[in-house]
Amino acid sequence: MNETVNIQLSAAATLADLPYFSYQVSPETISEKVADEFQRYPELPGVLVVAGDRVIGMISKVKFFERMSKQFGRDLYLPRPIKLIPEIAAPQVPPLVLMARTPVEEAVEQALSRPPAFVYEPVVVRKGKQLVLVDMRLILIAQAQVLSKKNLFIQQQHFHTQQLLEKLKVEKERNQDYAKRLESELTRTQQMNEALEQQERSVREQAERIAQLNQRFVSISQVLSQRGRKAFQQTFTGVNQISRHTAEVYRLSERLKQDVEIIDQATHQIAEITRQVKHLAVQAGLIASRSGQQMAGFDFISEAINKLANQVVFANQQVEEMANHFRHHIREVVESTASGEKIARSLLSQVEDTQQAIQELQALLDTEEATTQTETMPAAAVA
């Protein structure tokens, strides 16, 4: 027999958690002995009558003393075996037998389902192979504790639920704020994607233009290379020709220098002849004034004049020959100069063509740079 009454139960308490009483007797036990046990242990709710492991019956202490308090009850039943008591021999309601794992609330529900006169009868509990009695009063007290625990748990859950609702409300507001931020970020992302797509299109267009420019650069480079090689070859050839013409001019200048020296000598000779002619003229005048003198002096003068005349003729021939040389050399110098001028003009034309090609290339580069800057500025503004 277990005498523990003050217990603390959880919300999931079962009959196994309650105090129980294991008072059992055989069917042949004298009822007076059972009455003595009830008097000795007032907390006993009743007695089990068993034969081996089979329950013959169960009678509560209340029903036992009610039977004994009737007329002739004590004299009729106390001295006899307990199996003769009508509650054992022919019970109106069989005892309620439940498993130990039965929850307290379920046990109360089944116990209260009995007839009103048997509602508060003890409950037989099977704990393994053992049969024990649990007082209905203890089951109701346990139910009250379980209900109290559950009520407290419900209140706690309600409070916790309120807190969770508050947290959920805060989280909902936070999520709404996050949703707005996400929507804003999504809008920004879409704008950035559009800007990136626009930049990508611009980059593709620039790449196409760059490819076209590269092709044009290649073409212009080939043209420049061809023109440059041609201009350099012509320049080299022209320089060689100019060098040869310069050498020819230098040679002609040397020959002219020699001719000038011969002309200078002829000029000196003519001057000397002129001086001598003047002298002879003076002598001839003197001889003419001396007409009375001999003619031998005049013959000498005549011979000298003839000699001077011959020298003048020779000097004139040399001067004429030098003049012819001058005309020939001057013609050669003019032709050489004209050829050099022609070569110089050809070189100048080639240089101008090359310079024009370079200017076209520079203008193309400037135009492309301005276009690139113009297209880059809106993309940078969008970024």
Side-chain angles (χ1 to χ4, degrees):
M1 170 173 17
N2 192 337
E3 298 181 357
T4 304
V5 176
N6 296 324
I7 54 175
Q8 295 295 328
L9 300 174
S10 66
T14 63
L15 294 177
D17 300 322
L18 302 181
Y20 60 88
F21 301 89
S22 58
Y23 180 47
Q24 300 176 359
V25 295
S26 66
E28 303 299 329
T29 302
I30 302 301
S31 299
E32 187 176 4
K33 183 179 179 181
V34 174
D36 292 339
E37 289 295 321
F38 283 153
Q39 293 293 334
R40 187 180 303 163
Y41 301 104
E43 70 275 7
L44 283 174
V47 61
L48 276 172
V49 180
V50 297
D53 57 352
R54 184 169 61 91
V55 178
I56 303 300
M58 186 276 298
I59 185 171
S60 65
K61 183 175 63 174
V62 174
K63 294 294 183 181
F64 182 85
F65 285 113
E66 283 181 356
R67 177 61 62 182
M68 297 304 164
S69 63
K70 291 183 179 181
Q71 187 177 8
F72 307 112
R74 296 182 67 86
D75 295 333
L76 183 60
Y77 296 110
L78 280 180
R80 296 181 177 185
I82 195 172
K83 67 181 181 179
L84 298 177
I85 298 177
E87 286 77 7
I88 301 298
Q92 295 180 2
V93 177
L96 178 61
V97 181
L98 300 175
M99 300 300 294
R101 64 176 177 273
T102 304
V104 170
E105 291 179 323
E106 183 180 346
V108 171
E109 182 178 359
Q110 294 190 33
L112 295 179
S113 298
R114 294 178 293 184
F118 297 90
V119 167
Y120 297 104
E121 289 294 289
V123 176
V124 179
V125 178
R126 186 180 296 277
K127 300 183 65 175
K129 295 182 179 181
Q130 184 183 9
L131 292 172
V132 297
L133 286 177
V134 176
D135 193 352
M136 189 60 193
R137 182 178 61 87
L138 294 178
I139 295 176
L140 293 174
I141 293 174
Q143 184 195 28
Q145 290 189 9
V146 169
L147 291 176
S148 177
K149 294 282 185 181
K150 287 188 175 182
N151 187 32
L152 178 61
F153 178 75
I154 290 173
Q155 291 179 356
Q156 291 176 349
Q157 288 298 317
H158 180 71
F159 178 74
H160 184 62
T161 302
Q162 291 296 328
Q163 290 181 336
L164 288 178
L165 289 175
E166 292 294 332
K167 290 182 179 179
L168 287 175
K169 183 178 179 180
V170 174
E171 290 296 328
K172 183 179 179 181
E173 294 176 354
R174 189 178 300 173
N175 289 333
Q176 290 177 351
D177 185 44
Y178 286 159
K180 292 180 180 178
R181 292 184 182 180
L182 287 175
E183 185 177 359
S184 177
E185 290 296 329
L186 181 60
T187 303
R188 287 188 57 190
T189 303
Q190 291 176 351
Q191 293 176 352
M192 292 179 66
N193 288 334
E194 292 176 357
L196 288 176
E197 291 177 357
Q198 183 177 1
Q199 290 180 356
E200 185 178 359
R201 289 194 297 269
S202 177
V203 168
R204 283 200 299 268
E205 293 175 357
Q206 290 181 1
E208 293 176 357
R209 284 198 295 273
I210 289 172
Q212 295 175 358
L213 284 175
N214 286 333
Q215 293 179 356
R216 295 183 63 182
F217 287 158
V218 171
S219 301
I220 293 173
S221 299
Q222 292 176 354
V223 172
L224 287 176
S225 178
Q226 294 175 359
R227 290 186 180 180
R229 285 196 299 270
K230 185 176 179 181
F232 290 149
Q233 291 176 357
Q234 292 180 355
T235 302
F236 182 74
T237 304
V239 169
N240 289 332
Q241 291 179 358
I242 291 173
S243 178
R244 288 196 299 272
H245 287 300
T246 303
E248 183 66 21
V249 170
Y250 180 74
R251 182 180 64 77
L252 292 175
S253 298
E254 291 294 329
R255 293 183 64 181
L256 287 175
K257 182 180 179 182
Q258 294 176 1
D259 292 340
V260 169
E261 290 178 354
I262 294 173
I263 291 172
D264 188 53
Q265 293 176 0
T267 303
H268 284 293
Q269 187 175 3
I270 291 171
E272 181 64 24
I273 293 171
T274 302
R275 188 184 62 78
Q276 291 180 5
V277 168
K278 289 181 179 180
H279 180 68
L280 290 176
V282 172
Q283 288 184 354
L286 292 176
I287 292 172
S289 63
R290 295 175 185 175
S291 58
Q293 293 181 1
Q294 299 179 354
M295 294 298 293
F298 188 77
D299 292 334
F300 173 75
I301 293 171
S302 297
E303 183 180 358
I305 289 172
N306 290 327
K307 185 177 180 180
L308 290 174
N310 292 329
Q311 290 179 355
V312 170
V313 170
F314 180 74
N316 286 330
Q317 291 177 351
Q318 286 185 338
V319 170
E320 185 178 358
E321 184 178 357
M322 289 301 104
N324 292 329
H325 280 293
F326 267 125
R327 284 193 293 271
H328 177 70
H329 293 326
I330 289 171
R331 187 169 56 254
E332 290 182 351
V333 169
V334 169
E335 291 177 354
S336 178
T337 304
S339 178
E341 182 181 1
K342 183 178 180 181
I343 294 171
R345 287 181 179 179
S346 177
L347 291 177
L348 181 60
S349 177
Q350 295 294 329
V351 170
E352 289 177 351
D353 291 340
T354 304
Q355 185 176 6
Q356 183 179 0
I358 293 174
Q359 289 176 352
E360 291 178 358
L361 179 61
Q362 183 64 40
L364 183 62
L365 290 174
D366 293 339
T367 303
E368 182 60 25
E369 182 178 2
T371 303
T372 303
Q373 290 179 354
T374 304
E375 294 178 354
T376 305
M377 289 176 62
V382 172

PDB file of all heavy atoms in Angstrom, residues 5 30 55 60 69 75 82 85 112 117 124 127 141 187 209 215 245 264 266 268 276 284 294 298 332 342 355 357:
ATOM      1  N   VAL A   5       0.204  11.190  -0.712  1.00  0.00           N
ATOM      2  CA  VAL A   5      -0.941  11.954  -1.189  1.00  0.00           C
ATOM      3  C   VAL A   5      -0.493  13.225  -1.878  1.00  0.00           C
ATOM      4  O   VAL A   5      -1.014  13.602  -2.910  1.00  0.00           O
ATOM      5  CB  VAL A   5      -1.917  12.263  -0.030  1.00  0.00           C
ATOM      6  CG1 VAL A   5      -3.067  13.136  -0.521  1.00  0.00           C
ATOM      7  CG2 VAL A   5      -2.432  10.989   0.582  1.00  0.00           C
ATOM      8  N   ILE A  30     -12.244 -13.684   5.526  1.00  0.00           N
ATOM      9  CA  ILE A  30     -13.394 -13.303   6.348  1.00  0.00           C
ATOM     10  C   ILE A  30     -13.575 -11.796   6.266  1.00  0.00           C
ATOM     11  O   ILE A  30     -12.615 -11.029   6.363  1.00  0.00           O
ATOM     12  CB  ILE A  30     -13.209 -13.769   7.798  1.00  0.00           C
ATOM     13  CG1 ILE A  30     -13.001 -15.290   7.867  1.00  0.00           C
ATOM     14  CG2 ILE A  30     -14.385 -13.348   8.663  1.00  0.00           C
ATOM     15  CD1 ILE A  30     -14.160 -16.084   7.272  1.00  0.00           C
ATOM     16  N   VAL A  55      -9.276 -11.254 -11.303  1.00  0.00           N
ATOM     17  CA  VAL A  55     -10.040 -10.379 -10.409  1.00  0.00           C
ATOM     18  C   VAL A  55     -11.443 -10.966 -10.248  1.00  0.00           C
ATOM     19  O   VAL A  55     -12.185 -11.100 -11.216  1.00  0.00           O
ATOM     20  CB  VAL A  55     -10.105  -8.944 -10.981  1.00  0.00           C
ATOM     21  CG1 VAL A  55     -10.950  -8.065 -10.066  1.00  0.00           C
ATOM     22  CG2 VAL A  55      -8.705  -8.361 -11.140  1.00  0.00           C
ATOM     23  N   SER A  60     -15.501  -1.026  -2.579  1.00  0.00           N
ATOM     24  CA  SER A  60     -14.907   0.139  -1.939  1.00  0.00           C
ATOM     25  C   SER A  60     -15.214   0.124  -0.461  1.00  0.00           C
ATOM     26  O   SER A  60     -16.127  -0.583  -0.001  1.00  0.00           O
ATOM     27  CB  SER A  60     -15.448   1.416  -2.578  1.00  0.00           C
ATOM     28  OG  SER A  60     -16.839   1.535  -2.320  1.00  0.00           O
ATOM     29  N   SER A  69     -23.838  -1.686   7.403  1.00  0.00           N
ATOM     30  CA  SER A  69     -24.720  -0.839   8.229  1.00  0.00           C
ATOM     31  C   SER A  69     -26.198  -1.175   8.026  1.00  0.00           C
ATOM     32  O   SER A  69     -27.054  -0.666   8.740  1.00  0.00           O
ATOM     33  CB  SER A  69     -24.469   0.643   7.896  1.00  0.00           C
ATOM     34  OG  SER A  69     -24.802   0.910   6.545  1.00  0.00           O
ATOM     35  N   ASP A  75     -24.076  -8.987  11.230  1.00  0.00           N
ATOM     36  CA  ASP A  75     -24.209 -10.373  11.688  1.00  0.00           C
ATOM     37  C   ASP A  75     -24.213 -11.350  10.524  1.00  0.00           C
ATOM     38  O   ASP A  75     -23.740 -12.487  10.643  1.00  0.00           O
ATOM     39  CB  ASP A  75     -25.512 -10.539  12.489  1.00  0.00           C
ATOM     40  CG  ASP A  75     -25.513  -9.719  13.793  1.00  0.00           C
ATOM     41  OD1 ASP A  75     -24.386  -9.488  14.305  1.00  0.00           O
ATOM     42  OD2 ASP A  75     -26.568  -9.243  14.203  1.00  0.00           O
ATOM     43  N   ILE A  82     -15.650 -13.013   2.265  1.00  0.00           N
ATOM     44  CA  ILE A  82     -16.008 -11.761   1.584  1.00  0.00           C
ATOM     45  C   ILE A  82     -16.685 -12.008   0.249  1.00  0.00           C
ATOM     46  O   ILE A  82     -17.415 -11.155  -0.268  1.00  0.00           O
ATOM     47  CB  ILE A  82     -14.733 -10.886   1.411  1.00  0.00           C
ATOM     48  CG1 ILE A  82     -15.180  -9.443   1.041  1.00  0.00           C
ATOM     49  CG2 ILE A  82     -13.797 -11.504   0.387  1.00  0.00           C
ATOM     50  CD1 ILE A  82     -14.044  -8.469   1.040  1.00  0.00           C
ATOM     51  N   ILE A  85     -20.526 -11.317  -0.035  1.00  0.00           N
ATOM     52  CA  ILE A  85     -21.113  -9.968  -0.074  1.00  0.00           C
ATOM     53  C   ILE A  85     -21.655  -9.749  -1.481  1.00  0.00           C
ATOM     54  O   ILE A  85     -20.995 -10.057  -2.488  1.00  0.00           O
ATOM     55  CB  ILE A  85     -20.064  -8.905   0.299  1.00  0.00           C
ATOM     56  CG1 ILE A  85     -19.568  -9.129   1.745  1.00  0.00           C
ATOM     57  CG2 ILE A  85     -20.603  -7.513   0.108  1.00  0.00           C
ATOM     58  CD1 ILE A  85     -18.474  -8.174   2.170  1.00  0.00           C
ATOM     59  N   LEU A 112     -16.279   8.868 -14.749  1.00  0.00           N
ATOM     60  CA  LEU A 112     -17.517   9.634 -14.629  1.00  0.00           C
ATOM     61  C   LEU A 112     -18.608   9.117 -15.557  1.00  0.00           C
ATOM     62  O   LEU A 112     -19.768   9.537 -15.443  1.00  0.00           O
ATOM     63  CB  LEU A 112     -17.245  11.112 -14.916  1.00  0.00           C
ATOM     64  CG  LEU A 112     -16.321  11.826 -13.913  1.00  0.00           C
ATOM     65  CD1 LEU A 112     -16.102  13.280 -14.326  1.00  0.00           C
ATOM     66  CD2 LEU A 112     -16.902  11.750 -12.504  1.00  0.00           C
ATOM     67  N   ALA A 117     -24.246   6.190  -8.863  1.00  0.00           N
ATOM     68  CA  ALA A 117     -23.943   5.580  -7.560  1.00  0.00           C
ATOM     69  C   ALA A 117     -22.538   5.000  -7.514  1.00  0.00           C
ATOM     70  O   ALA A 117     -22.007   4.723  -6.435  1.00  0.00           O
ATOM     71  CB  ALA A 117     -24.966   4.495  -7.256  1.00  0.00           C
ATOM     72  N   VAL A 124      -9.517   0.213 -10.703  1.00  0.00           N
ATOM     73  CA  VAL A 124      -8.513  -0.838 -10.702  1.00  0.00           C
ATOM     74  C   VAL A 124      -7.513  -0.521 -11.823  1.00  0.00           C
ATOM     75  O   VAL A 124      -7.898  -0.313 -12.982  1.00  0.00           O
ATOM     76  CB  VAL A 124      -9.159  -2.220 -10.935  1.00  0.00           C
ATOM     77  CG1 VAL A 124      -8.084  -3.313 -10.959  1.00  0.00           C
ATOM     78  CG2 VAL A 124     -10.190  -2.502  -9.866  1.00  0.00           C
ATOM     79  N   LYS A 127      -0.775  -2.566 -13.537  1.00  0.00           N
ATOM     80  CA  LYS A 127       0.609  -2.135 -13.720  1.00  0.00           C
ATOM     81  C   LYS A 127       1.433  -3.378 -14.006  1.00  0.00           C
ATOM     82  O   LYS A 127       1.925  -4.048 -13.096  1.00  0.00           O
ATOM     83  CB  LYS A 127       1.137  -1.423 -12.488  1.00  0.00           C
ATOM     84  CG  LYS A 127       0.341  -0.170 -12.129  1.00  0.00           C
ATOM     85  CD  LYS A 127       0.931   0.555 -10.932  1.00  0.00           C
ATOM     86  CE  LYS A 127       2.299   1.107 -11.244  1.00  0.00           C
ATOM     87  NZ  LYS A 127       2.837   1.924 -10.130  1.00  0.00           N
ATOM     88  N   ILE A 141      -8.223  14.939  -7.916  1.00  0.00           N
ATOM     89  CA  ILE A 141      -7.204  15.940  -7.536  1.00  0.00           C
ATOM     90  C   ILE A 141      -6.135  16.030  -8.614  1.00  0.00           C
ATOM     91  O   ILE A 141      -5.680  17.121  -9.008  1.00  0.00           O
ATOM     92  CB  ILE A 141      -6.589  15.567  -6.166  1.00  0.00           C
ATOM     93  CG1 ILE A 141      -7.644  15.701  -5.045  1.00  0.00           C
ATOM     94  CG2 ILE A 141      -5.388  16.440  -5.877  1.00  0.00           C
ATOM     95  CD1 ILE A 141      -7.162  15.219  -3.691  1.00  0.00           C
ATOM     96  N   THR A 187      14.393  47.890 -58.592  1.00  0.00           N
ATOM     97  CA  THR A 187      14.252  48.961 -59.583  1.00  0.00           C
ATOM     98  C   THR A 187      15.626  49.477 -60.004  1.00  0.00           C
ATOM     99  O   THR A 187      15.900  49.661 -61.198  1.00  0.00           O
ATOM    100  CB  THR A 187      13.408  50.107 -59.006  1.00  0.00           C
ATOM    101  OG1 THR A 187      12.134  49.599 -58.587  1.00  0.00           O
ATOM    102  CG2 THR A 187      13.209  51.195 -60.046  1.00  0.00           C
ATOM    103  N   ARG A 209      32.632  50.069 -84.935  1.00  0.00           N
ATOM    104  CA  ARG A 209      33.305  51.235 -85.529  1.00  0.00           C
ATOM    105  C   ARG A 209      34.815  51.098 -85.450  1.00  0.00           C
ATOM    106  O   ARG A 209      35.542  51.471 -86.377  1.00  0.00           O
ATOM    107  CB  ARG A 209      32.848  52.515 -84.820  1.00  0.00           C
ATOM    108  CG  ARG A 209      31.453  52.960 -85.226  1.00  0.00           C
ATOM    109  CD  ARG A 209      31.222  54.412 -84.863  1.00  0.00           C
ATOM    110  NE  ARG A 209      31.239  54.613 -83.438  1.00  0.00           N
ATOM    111  CZ  ARG A 209      30.197  54.491 -82.649  1.00  0.00           C
ATOM    112  NH1 ARG A 209      29.038  54.172 -83.149  1.00  0.00           N
ATOM    113  NH2 ARG A 209      30.292  54.696 -81.354  1.00  0.00           N
ATOM    114  N   GLN A 215      40.046  48.589 -90.180  1.00  0.00           N
ATOM    115  CA  GLN A 215      40.157  48.291 -91.603  1.00  0.00           C
ATOM    116  C   GLN A 215      40.607  49.515 -92.384  1.00  0.00           C
ATOM    117  O   GLN A 215      41.475  49.433 -93.260  1.00  0.00           O
ATOM    118  CB  GLN A 215      38.804  47.796 -92.121  1.00  0.00           C
ATOM    119  CG  GLN A 215      38.384  46.448 -91.539  1.00  0.00           C
ATOM    120  CD  GLN A 215      37.028  46.007 -92.045  1.00  0.00           C
ATOM    121  OE1 GLN A 215      36.365  46.740 -92.784  1.00  0.00           O
ATOM    122  NE2 GLN A 215      36.605  44.802 -91.660  1.00  0.00           N
ATOM    123  N   HIS A 245      73.205  66.574-110.680  1.00  0.00           N
ATOM    124  CA  HIS A 245      73.109  67.903-111.315  1.00  0.00           C
ATOM    125  C   HIS A 245      73.969  68.922-110.586  1.00  0.00           C
ATOM    126  O   HIS A 245      74.562  69.809-111.217  1.00  0.00           O
ATOM    127  CB  HIS A 245      71.647  68.346-111.332  1.00  0.00           C
ATOM    128  CG  HIS A 245      70.801  67.617-112.336  1.00  0.00           C
ATOM    129  ND1 HIS A 245      71.050  67.626-113.693  1.00  0.00           N
ATOM    130  CD2 HIS A 245      69.712  66.823-112.185  1.00  0.00           C
ATOM    131  CE1 HIS A 245      70.166  66.884-114.331  1.00  0.00           C
ATOM    132  NE2 HIS A 245      69.330  66.367-113.427  1.00  0.00           N
ATOM    133  N   ASP A 264      89.581  86.969-119.165  1.00  0.00           N
ATOM    134  CA  ASP A 264      90.334  88.013-118.455  1.00  0.00           C
ATOM    135  C   ASP A 264      91.696  88.229-119.113  1.00  0.00           C
ATOM    136  O   ASP A 264      92.138  89.375-119.305  1.00  0.00           O
ATOM    137  CB  ASP A 264      90.481  87.611-117.002  1.00  0.00           C
ATOM    138  CG  ASP A 264      91.074  88.745-116.177  1.00  0.00           C
ATOM    139  OD1 ASP A 264      90.549  89.873-116.216  1.00  0.00           O
ATOM    140  OD2 ASP A 264      92.077  88.472-115.471  1.00  0.00           O
ATOM    141  N   ALA A 266      92.370  87.496-122.223  1.00  0.00           N
ATOM    142  CA  ALA A 266      92.142  88.133-123.531  1.00  0.00           C
ATOM    143  C   ALA A 266      91.866  89.603-123.357  1.00  0.00           C
ATOM    144  O   ALA A 266      92.311  90.446-124.158  1.00  0.00           O
ATOM    145  CB  ALA A 266      90.974  87.435-124.230  1.00  0.00           C
ATOM    146  N   HIS A 268      92.967  91.546-120.971  1.00  0.00           N
ATOM    147  CA  HIS A 268      94.263  92.204-120.711  1.00  0.00           C
ATOM    148  C   HIS A 268      95.066  92.357-122.006  1.00  0.00           C
ATOM    149  O   HIS A 268      95.699  93.404-122.241  1.00  0.00           O
ATOM    150  CB  HIS A 268      95.056  91.404-119.678  1.00  0.00           C
ATOM    151  CG  HIS A 268      94.550  91.582-118.275  1.00  0.00           C
ATOM    152  ND1 HIS A 268      94.630  92.767-117.571  1.00  0.00           N
ATOM    153  CD2 HIS A 268      93.933  90.716-117.439  1.00  0.00           C
ATOM    154  CE1 HIS A 268      94.112  92.631-116.381  1.00  0.00           C
ATOM    155  NE2 HIS A 268      93.660  91.346-116.283  1.00  0.00           N
ATOM    156  N   GLN A 276      99.056  99.827-127.091  1.00  0.00           N
ATOM    157  CA  GLN A 276     100.111  99.898-128.117  1.00  0.00           C
ATOM    158  C   GLN A 276      99.605 100.640-129.350  1.00  0.00           C
ATOM    159  O   GLN A 276     100.355 101.412-130.002  1.00  0.00           O
ATOM    160  CB  GLN A 276     100.560  98.496-128.486  1.00  0.00           C
ATOM    161  CG  GLN A 276     101.322  97.806-127.365  1.00  0.00           C
ATOM    162  CD  GLN A 276     101.774  96.398-127.751  1.00  0.00           C
ATOM    163  OE1 GLN A 276     101.581  95.997-128.922  1.00  0.00           O
ATOM    164  NE2 GLN A 276     102.410  95.707-126.802  1.00  0.00           N
ATOM    165  N   ALA A 284     102.580 107.546-135.188  1.00  0.00           N
ATOM    166  CA  ALA A 284     102.196 107.852-136.576  1.00  0.00           C
ATOM    167  C   ALA A 284     101.930 109.324-136.745  1.00  0.00           C
ATOM    168  O   ALA A 284     102.251 109.940-137.768  1.00  0.00           O
ATOM    169  CB  ALA A 284     100.972 107.030-136.948  1.00  0.00           C
ATOM    170  N   GLN A 294     112.762 110.360-143.002  1.00  0.00           N
ATOM    171  CA  GLN A 294     112.799 109.120-143.771  1.00  0.00           C
ATOM    172  C   GLN A 294     111.548 108.301-143.513  1.00  0.00           C
ATOM    173  O   GLN A 294     110.971 108.313-142.435  1.00  0.00           O
ATOM    174  CB  GLN A 294     114.057 108.311-143.384  1.00  0.00           C
ATOM    175  CG  GLN A 294     115.344 109.037-143.670  1.00  0.00           C
ATOM    176  CD  GLN A 294     116.575 108.217-143.243  1.00  0.00           C
ATOM    177  OE1 GLN A 294     116.462 107.175-142.646  1.00  0.00           O
ATOM    178  NE2 GLN A 294     117.766 108.737-143.611  1.00  0.00           N
ATOM    179  N   PHE A 298     107.990 104.880-140.564  1.00  0.00           N
ATOM    180  CA  PHE A 298     106.581 104.608-140.872  1.00  0.00           C
ATOM    181  C   PHE A 298     106.354 103.146-141.186  1.00  0.00           C
ATOM    182  O   PHE A 298     105.316 102.563-140.790  1.00  0.00           O
ATOM    183  CB  PHE A 298     106.155 105.506-142.033  1.00  0.00           C
ATOM    184  CG  PHE A 298     104.675 105.430-142.289  1.00  0.00           C
ATOM    185  CD1 PHE A 298     103.778 106.095-141.480  1.00  0.00           C
ATOM    186  CD2 PHE A 298     104.210 104.685-143.365  1.00  0.00           C
ATOM    187  CE1 PHE A 298     102.448 106.004-141.751  1.00  0.00           C
ATOM    188  CE2 PHE A 298     102.882 104.604-143.617  1.00  0.00           C
ATOM    189  CZ  PHE A 298     101.968 105.254-142.791  1.00  0.00           C
ATOM    190  N   GLU A 332      73.553  74.402-120.538  1.00  0.00           N
ATOM    191  CA  GLU A 332      73.621  73.185-119.725  1.00  0.00           C
ATOM    192  C   GLU A 332      73.191  73.458-118.280  1.00  0.00           C
ATOM    193  O   GLU A 332      72.484  72.656-117.649  1.00  0.00           O
ATOM    194  CB  GLU A 332      75.034  72.616-119.758  1.00  0.00           C
ATOM    195  CG  GLU A 332      75.416  72.017-121.112  1.00  0.00           C
ATOM    196  CD  GLU A 332      76.821  71.416-121.088  1.00  0.00           C
ATOM    197  OE1 GLU A 332      77.533  71.634-120.081  1.00  0.00           O
ATOM    198  OE2 GLU A 332      77.185  70.711-122.050  1.00  0.00           O
ATOM    199  N   LYS A 342      62.266  70.399-111.686  1.00  0.00           N
ATOM    200  CA  LYS A 342      61.227  69.417-111.949  1.00  0.00           C
ATOM    201  C   LYS A 342      61.252  68.308-110.897  1.00  0.00           C
ATOM    202  O   LYS A 342      60.205  67.887-110.382  1.00  0.00           O
ATOM    203  CB  LYS A 342      61.437  68.833-113.345  1.00  0.00           C
ATOM    204  CG  LYS A 342      60.361  67.849-113.758  1.00  0.00           C
ATOM    205  CD  LYS A 342      60.604  67.354-115.173  1.00  0.00           C
ATOM    206  CE  LYS A 342      59.529  66.354-115.590  1.00  0.00           C
ATOM    207  NZ  LYS A 342      59.747  65.842-116.962  1.00  0.00           N
ATOM    208  N   GLN A 355      51.498  64.211 -96.817  1.00  0.00           N
ATOM    209  CA  GLN A 355      50.997  65.082 -95.742  1.00  0.00           C
ATOM    210  C   GLN A 355      49.477  65.110 -95.734  1.00  0.00           C
ATOM    211  O   GLN A 355      48.844  65.094 -94.678  1.00  0.00           O
ATOM    212  CB  GLN A 355      51.549  66.495 -95.934  1.00  0.00           C
ATOM    213  CG  GLN A 355      51.175  67.463 -94.794  1.00  0.00           C
ATOM    214  CD  GLN A 355      51.817  68.807 -94.964  1.00  0.00           C
ATOM    215  OE1 GLN A 355      52.458  69.055 -95.990  1.00  0.00           O
ATOM    216  NE2 GLN A 355      51.648  69.670 -93.991  1.00  0.00           N
ATOM    217  N   ALA A 357      47.477  62.682 -96.721  1.00  0.00           N
ATOM    218  CA  ALA A 357      47.027  61.395 -96.164  1.00  0.00           C
ATOM    219  C   ALA A 357      47.147  61.392 -94.641  1.00  0.00           C
ATOM    220  O   ALA A 357      46.269  60.904 -93.924  1.00  0.00           O
ATOM    221  CB  ALA A 357      47.824  60.249 -96.771  1.00  0.00           C
TER     222      ALA A 357
END
